[in-house]
Amino acid sequence: MLTAPGYPATVLRMRGVSVSTTIRKPVRAVWTAASAPSGWARLIEAFAGYGMRFDAAVVDGPKDPAGEGTVVEVRKAGGRPVLKGRMVWWDPLRGFTATAHAGGWFTGYHGTFTVKVSELDDALTSAEIAMRVVFLNRFVELASLLMPVGFLYRRRLAKVLAALSDPPAR
């Protein structure tokens, strides 16, 4: 049973989507781009899209390098916190899973985000990102079942994989 802080103990069904690609970089380079806390704001911006800017900072647990137990807080650039996530699985050069939760009667959710990488050869890496989310507001959860959110989330996750393939802009 999955429960969320501050909500009654109920069974929450999580919907999931995933995308994968092959990146023409060594696995270590892809792992570094995905796992370095200094690059997380860029990956979150790729997911959010529409020119939104974010800051991400490690606020608890291992920092450099990050690891299981690392807690990251994401804020709109120069603004209020948007979410806080915790690394719950961390396997260097293989992948990690972060859980995130946001409260609120309308926008509350609980989600997991898993990144997996595997070496195909010295300069080729398979990368996959999976996302599972449940909205805590029953109306929003129902609406998400009627709207093409899976399609939209897959498109956003594909943008994150593209950001892992491209070097950061300077």
Side-chain angles (χ1 to χ4, degrees), residues 69-130:
T70 295
V71 177
V72 63
E73 183 176 78
V74 177
R75 296 176 169 268
K76 284 189 175 180
R80 64 178 177 78
V82 177
L83 69 86
K84 194 179 270 192
R86 174 180 297 280
M87 299 300 156
V88 295
W89 171 66
W90 191 270
D91 191 354
L93 298 177
R94 296 201 50 212
F96 61 87
T97 297
T99 62
H101 169 78
W105 74 270
F106 187 69
T107 59
Y109 70 90
H110 179 80
T112 64
F113 304 86
T114 299
V115 175
K116 292 182 180 177
V117 296
S118 59
E119 182 178 67
L120 299 176
D121 70 27
D122 289 345
L124 201 59
T125 300
S126 172
E128 176 185 16
I129 298 180

Side-chain angles (χ1 to χ4, degrees), residues 2-123:
L2 172 67
T3 61
Y7 292 86
T10 58
V11 175
L12 303 174
R13 292 183 9 187
M14 297 182 91
R15 298 182 52 194
V17 297
S18 66
V19 295
S20 60
T21 193
T22 302
I23 299 174
R24 294 191 180 284
K25 288 185 176 181
V27 70
R28 186 170 298 280
V30 176
W31 170 256
T32 299
S35 67
S38 61
W40 288 342
R42 181 172 171 264
L43 299 179
I44 293 164
E45 289 166 1
F47 181 80
Y50 308 107
M52 291 186 203
R53 295 289 176 233
F54 295 92
D55 298 316
V58 174
V59 295
D60 196 14
K63 288 190 178 196
D64 194 15
E68 193 168 316
T70 295
V71 177
V72 63
E73 183 176 78
V74 177
R75 296 176 169 268
K76 284 189 175 180
R80 64 178 177 78
V82 177
L83 69 86
K84 194 179 270 192
R86 174 180 297 280
M87 299 300 156
V88 295
W89 171 66
W90 191 270
D91 191 354
L93 298 177
R94 296 201 50 212
F96 61 87
T97 297
T99 62
H101 169 78
W105 74 270
F106 187 69
T107 59
Y109 70 90
H110 179 80
T112 64
F113 304 86
T114 299
V115 175
K116 292 182 180 177
V117 296
S118 59
E119 182 178 67
L120 299 176
D121 70 27
D122 289 345

